[in-house]
């Protein structure tokens, strides 16, 4: 079934000039880009986005890696897009991520693991409201 997912490219991906490389992997797979924008991440947005990780040992470093930096956020659409995108990006820890996946091919750092993607419909709905508050989902298909 066709569905939406949210992806954002972390500041390291912009610093390393891997934006085009990564977006092209999604396009080649056949996923449709429904929305895309650059965002200046504030501490408030970063903390809200990752609020489920508040209290974990990596939370502070995670928020600091985003705060004051630019990200590129996208809404992608296609058949089982949530699962497909998570397969393309690979395991959270680049040490575990298989070669051929984005995290497997381009990095080693777990905090700056290049990219984030929604892990469920519920996560997508929460995350899209935070990063694309102006977007009405019913307008995505027009
Ligand atoms: P992401 O998929 O964006 O979701 C949570 C993020 O927390 C994760 O990618 C990593 O950037 C970061 N993180 C840092 N350390 C860990 C860890 N030990 N386990 C999970 N996520 C971590």
């Amino acid at each position: 079934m066709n569905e939406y997912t949210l992806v954002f490219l972390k500041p390291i991906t912009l610093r390393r000039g891997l934006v085009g490389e990564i977006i092209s992997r999604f396009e080649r797979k056949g996923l449709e880009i429904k929305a895309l924008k650059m965002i200046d991440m504030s501490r408030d947005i970063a903390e809200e986005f990752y609020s489920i990780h508040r209290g974990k040992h990596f939370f502070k470093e995670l928020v600091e890696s985003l705060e004051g930096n630019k990200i590129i956020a996208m809404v992608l659409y296609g058949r089982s897009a949530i699962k497909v995108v998570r397969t393309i990006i690979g395991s959270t820890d680049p040490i575990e991520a298989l070669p051929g996946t984005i995290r497997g091919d381009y990095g080693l750092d777990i905090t700056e693991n290049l990219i984030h993607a929604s892990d469920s419909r519920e996560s997508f709905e929460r995350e899209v409201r935070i990063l694309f508050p102006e977007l009405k989902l019913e307008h995505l298909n027009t």
Side-chain angles (χ1 to χ4, degrees), residues 48-60:
E48 187 186 359
F49 190 91
Y50 280 122
S51 57
I52 50 167
H53 296 301
R54 195 183 290 275
K56 294 187 184 160
H57 67 91
F58 56 83
F59 184 72
K60 184 168 178 278

Side-chain angles (χ1 to χ4, degrees), residues 6 8 45-51 116 126-127 130-131:
L6 179 137
F8 79 79
I45 297 175
E47 287 188 345
E48 187 186 359
F49 190 91
Y50 280 122
S51 57
H116 169 88
R126 193 183 71 81
E127 292 171 358
I130 296 169
L131 296 189

Side-chain angles (χ1 to χ4, degrees), residues 8-9 11 14 37-46 63 65-73 130-131:
F8 79 79
L9 308 183
L14 282 73
K37 69 175 175 184
M38 185 177 272
I39 299 171
D40 287 311
M41 279 295 251
S42 65
R43 172 172 285 259
D44 282 354
I45 297 175
V63 170
S65 74
L66 297 168
E67 183 185 1
N69 294 314
K70 291 185 194 312
I71 63 159
I72 291 179
I130 296 169
L131 296 189

Side-chain angles (χ1 to χ4, degrees), residues 75-86:
V75 176
L76 300 175
Y77 179 75
R79 184 164 172 251
S80 293
I82 293 171
K83 184 178 179 196
V84 166
V85 166
R86 287 181 69 84

Side-chain angles (χ1 to χ4, degrees), residues 101-116:
T101 65
I102 291 167
R103 288 166 173 165
D105 285 350
Y106 296 120
L108 278 175
D109 194 274
I110 188 168
T111 300
E112 302 209 276
N113 59 356
L114 299 153
I115 184 164
H116 169 88

Side-chain angles (χ1 to χ4, degrees), residues 4 34 134-142:
Y4 297 100
K34 289 287 195 180
E134 72 283 8
L135 205 64
K136 299 271 177 290
L137 286 190
E138 59 267 28
H139 293 164
L140 282 172
N141 281 320
T142 60

